[in-house]
Amino acid sequence: MMAYASLKYCLSKCTYTIMGDVAQNISDRYGLNDWTELRKLMLPGEFDYFGILQKSYRNTVEISGFATDILYHGSFPVYPVEPIIRHGESVTVKTCVDFTDQVTQAEQTIKQWQCKGLDTIAVVCMDEAEAEKVTAALQGSVELNTGDAGKWEIGEGVMVLPLKYTKGLEFDAVLIFNASEEDYPVEDGYVKQLYVAATRALHELTVLYRGKLTGLIADPVSPEQKKRMRLAADAQKKPVKTVVKQAEPEKTKEEIYRQRAQEAEKERVARERYGPKKIIVTRNSQGTTDGATPKKAGQSGGPESRRTGQPSPAKVYGAGNGNAGRATGRQEPRMVENNGEYGDMPDAKTLMPAGHSRIDCAVRMVMKGKGYVDLLSSYGTLRITPLAVDMFRICFAKGQCREFPKAAVTAAGDLRCTVRENPSLVEITAGYAQIRVDKKTGALTFLNTQGKILLTERRREPRQLGEKKNWSFFEWKKDEALIAGGIGAPKPLKIGNSAAYFSYGRADDRYPGLASSKGYEMIFPAGSRVLCCNIGMYGTYISMEETDIIDYYLRAK
């Protein structure tokens, strides 16, 4: 409270947004244990507001309900959590004869979880002394991750941790080693400690105890008591004061028409001054563009090639000498509006990304699932899935905890992946490839483990979703050669400072690919329509059409 009082005194003209969870204050002697005193200090004004954020994205419904029941044993107001509808196994509570029996039960439970494919497992102990004892007992039969428990790091394997080090972390499964009455008496401070331990589990939670089970779990709470504690929390809410704006006078049809005409004229003038010039293509009786030399039947771009369906690539590159950047021939692409076949150049009007309101891709939460990592922003969910030592799958969609299409490539069974997080960065490493995500912007950087940057998303709005179309913006280097191709491609296609489709059509089962001279390649789902634009005036991006989900594979060469 002294810190907040100092801020209020020194920065009296500032506005504040204060967020927190008083139920997770595991030290009863300091910190905030309820909101009452803080609200009196910081929310005295008429338009100050106290609200409750109840939605939880971490735990299953079963774990969330179990943890909330622990909270009801305290004497403080309870703000019930509203979990997303994700069901799992019921919470298991097991009694043990002695310490040896607890270790045996822990071994069996951990091995069952590992057989299910749960990657991160925490054994939560009351303090450092118990953690050391449990680590020594388990070490012979269970492979433990014995890294520095004081570092905020999400890593695969089994970790034995004192309770205080688990705060802020999450695990696929959690085993609370000894929830006895001796370790967790029915007191407010222990209520919050046990609550924090239980809510670290994403999918499964098991509680062991010897002696007498703590009353925080064993003692039932009456519906009346739950209701009283919820009402106490609701009573702290403060209604939002709204300012009613004076209604504007109704406009006549003529006034509305005149206003729209003025806005349209401003838009036209701005486009003429700053926007791209119109590209007008006319065809003569021979089927060629005016001013062009007629092509013979069967030549690329002529009538015969259109009948046979062969694409007309922008450039042709030799692959015999391994020098993908040297041109051996050149053909101009034909202009199309809506075909999207390999080598086609889009009409200029389709190159400009759609207008939009402010996009915020800043990472608000990191959630580790089974074989993937979700980075949640107010704009949507970025999912990064390690598939091999050199390959990641990148998906992005609006909404939280989205379901994404099944991957075309399955992850290697022996793949080990580490995820490290600090206040500014999330780092995902698999083998000799790595992805870093800047939390402030949400932009990802693809690099090898030697630190060489292979590909970087644009910091300002790295991606954009439209109506059945999306854009991923990249910071390609001036000396970077982008070659489209892939398995079954007609001919390699150099993008250069141009734009072209490098997909094969909706009904084709080939995977569109784009390789870079910087040492990486991108692969896109079969049947998708994919456009690469490397024209600074429109933006440097890859766009997928007829879908509202960004989905591609990144591979280090």
Side-chain angles (χ1 to χ4, degrees):
M1 281 305 303
M2 184 176 68
Y4 284 110
S6 301
L7 283 172
K8 184 71 184 269
Y9 179 80
C10 297
L11 305 172
S12 58
K13 302 299 181 184
C14 291
T15 58
Y16 293 88
T17 301
I18 300 169
M19 305 175 73
D21 184 357
V22 293
Q24 294 199 42
N25 180 20
I26 60 176
S27 178
D28 199 37
R29 294 167 302 195
Y30 52 85
L32 295 179
N33 291 304
D34 61 58
W35 293 106
T36 308
E37 193 176 358
L38 184 65
R39 289 180 63 235
K40 287 178 182 177
L41 173 70
M42 303 297 287
L43 306 177
E46 183 183 4
F47 296 102
D48 295 335
Y49 172 63
F50 178 80
I52 298 173
L53 305 176
Q54 293 179 293
K55 184 69 72 175
S56 169
Y57 297 94
R58 173 181 290 151
N59 317 115
T60 61
V61 172
E62 290 76 13
I63 294 171
S64 181
F66 178 84
T68 303
D69 282 346
I70 292 172
L71 281 184
Y72 283 125
H73 288 83
S75 61
F76 43 81
V78 173
Y79 306 94
V81 169
E82 182 187 322
I84 59 169
I85 306 302
R86 182 173 69 86
H87 286 279
E89 298 290 337
S90 299
V91 176
T92 302
V93 180
K94 292 183 179 179
T95 181
C96 302
V97 177
D98 51 22
F99 178 81
T100 305
D101 189 23
Q102 279 180 289
V103 172
T104 303
Q105 294 280 3
E107 289 174 10
Q108 294 173 356
T109 303
I110 290 167
K111 289 175 180 177
Q112 288 171 6
W113 284 339
Q114 289 174 329
C115 290
K116 290 182 180 180
L118 300 177
D119 297 324
T120 57
I121 298 170
V123 179
V124 179
C125 301
M126 188 63 194
D127 51 31
E128 287 93 337
E130 186 178 59
E132 289 178 8
K133 188 177 177 182
V134 173
T135 299
L138 287 174
Q139 225 156 12
S141 56
V142 176
E143 185 180 349
L144 299 178
N145 182 343
T146 55
D148 185 355
K151 290 183 179 178
W152 193 22
E153 179 179 322
I154 307 172
E156 290 186 358
V158 182
M159 300 181 73
V160 180
L161 298 169
L163 189 148
K164 67 179 182 180
Y165 288 139
T166 65
K167 189 176 175 184
L169 299 182
E170 58 188 28
F171 305 89
D172 290 335
V174 168
L175 185 142
I176 299 175
F177 190 77
N178 188 25
S180 66
E181 187 178 52
E182 183 180 352
D183 277 6
Y184 297 94
V186 183
E187 298 174 13
D188 284 358
Y190 293 100
V191 167
K192 295 179 179 181
Q193 290 186 24
L194 192 56
Y195 172 76
V196 168
T199 52
R200 301 308 93 198
L202 288 167
H203 307 297
E204 294 203 26
L205 173 64
T206 291
V207 178
L208 303 180
Y209 70 96
R210 63 180 183 271
K212 188 176 181 182
L213 179 63
T214 173
L216 302 177
I217 298 173
D219 299 342
V221 181
S222 67
E224 292 77 18
Q225 184 179 351
K226 290 183 180 181
K227 185 177 180 181
R228 280 198 307 274
M229 299 182 79
R230 283 197 299 265
L231 288 173
D234 290 340
Q236 295 191 26
K237 291 182 183 178
K238 191 174 181 180
V240 183
K241 295 285 185 180
T242 56
V243 179
V244 180
K245 293 184 179 179
Q246 189 174 357
E248 295 182 5
E250 261 188 59
K251 294 180 180 178
T252 63
K253 288 185 179 179
E254 186 179 348
E255 288 172 333
I256 294 171
Y257 176 80
R258 192 181 300 115
Q259 181 183 349
R260 287 177 179 172
Q262 289 172 349
E263 291 171 354
E265 179 62 17
K266 286 181 183 177
E267 177 75 11
R268 186 192 67 77
V269 172
R271 286 177 181 271
E272 284 291 327
R273 185 170 181 180
Y274 302 110
K277 303 302 180 186
K278 292 181 180 178
I279 297 176
I280 302 173
V281 179
T282 58
R283 296 189 179 276
N284 56 30
S285 59
Q286 293 174 301
T288 64
T289 57
D290 286 343
T293 304
K295 290 181 167 45
K296 295 179 182 179
Q299 206 170 357
S300 282
E304 185 61 35
S305 70
R306 285 194 292 276
R307 282 198 297 272
T308 59
Q310 292 297 318
S312 175
K315 296 181 182 179
V316 181
Y317 286 81
N321 59 4
N323 186 2
R326 189 174 67 182
T328 59
R330 177 180 176 87
Q331 292 175 317
E332 293 299 326
R334 52 196 166 95
M335 303 293 293
V336 298
E337 285 197 28
N338 204 27
N339 191 14
E341 299 293 339
Y342 186 86
D344 288 340
M345 179 179 285
D347 189 275
K349 67 183 180 182
T350 68
L351 289 177
M352 187 67 73
H356 59 81
S357 56
R358 183 174 179 272
I359 292 174
D360 182 10
C361 292
V363 177
R364 308 297 183 195
M365 184 183 296
V366 179
M367 298 179 62
K368 189 171 186 295
K370 186 178 178 182
Y372 62 84
V373 180
D374 278 353
L375 298 98
L376 278 57
S377 65
S378 60
Y379 191 50
T381 300
L382 173 65
R383 176 167 293 182
I384 299 175
T385 308
L387 296 172
V389 293
D390 59 349
M391 181 184 287
F392 292 90
R393 183 190 185 195
I394 311 297
C395 296
F396 184 82
K398 285 187 178 178
Q400 309 298 326
C401 301
R402 281 288 302 266
E403 289 294 328
F404 291 94
K406 187 177 179 181
V409 181
T410 55
D414 58 348
L415 180 65
R416 293 187 66 83
C417 169
T418 59
V419 182
R420 293 182 174 86
E421 182 181 359
N422 63 40
S424 62
L425 195 71
V426 179
E427 183 179 275
I428 305 165
T429 306
Y432 56 83
Q434 190 178 87
I435 285 180
R436 293 176 185 166
V437 182
D438 181 358
K439 282 188 169 183
K440 186 176 180 181
T441 63
L444 66 83
T445 300
F446 184 49
L447 62 166
N448 59 27
T449 49
Q450 283 72 47
K452 179 187 175 184
I453 294 177
L454 307 178
L455 175 67
T456 303
E457 278 188 312
R458 187 177 73 180
R459 264 59 176 173
R460 179 180 59 84
E461 296 173 359
R463 58 197 76 91
Q464 179 185 342
L465 301 178
E467 185 68 30
K468 292 296 181 182
K469 192 171 182 178
N470 61 64
W471 296 263
S472 297
F473 299 95
F474 299 101
E475 295 179 348
W476 289 313
K477 306 298 180 184
K478 289 184 179 179
D479 61 343
E480 185 170 355
L482 298 173
I483 312 292
I487 298 173
K491 290 177 181 178
L493 172 70
K494 184 174 182 180
I495 301 299
N497 295 322
S498 62
Y501 286 97
F502 60 96
S503 48
Y504 308 107
R506 301 176 187 85
D508 205 297
D509 60 358
R510 288 174 291 180
Y511 294 89
L514 187 72
S516 166
S517 60
K518 295 297 181 182
Y520 68 88
E521 59 183 349
M522 306 175 75
I523 305 164
F524 294 81
S528 55
R529 301 185 67 222
V530 193
L531 165 71
C532 179
C533 178
N534 195 21
I535 305 173
M537 164 179 189
Y538 298 107
T540 51
Y541 63 80
I542 291 178
S543 175
M544 297 179 66
E545 299 179 5
E546 300 176 356
T547 177
D548 59 351
I549 296 178
I550 294 172
D551 187 3
Y552 61 91
Y553 301 83
L554 262 178
R555 183 178 180 184
K557 293 197 294 183

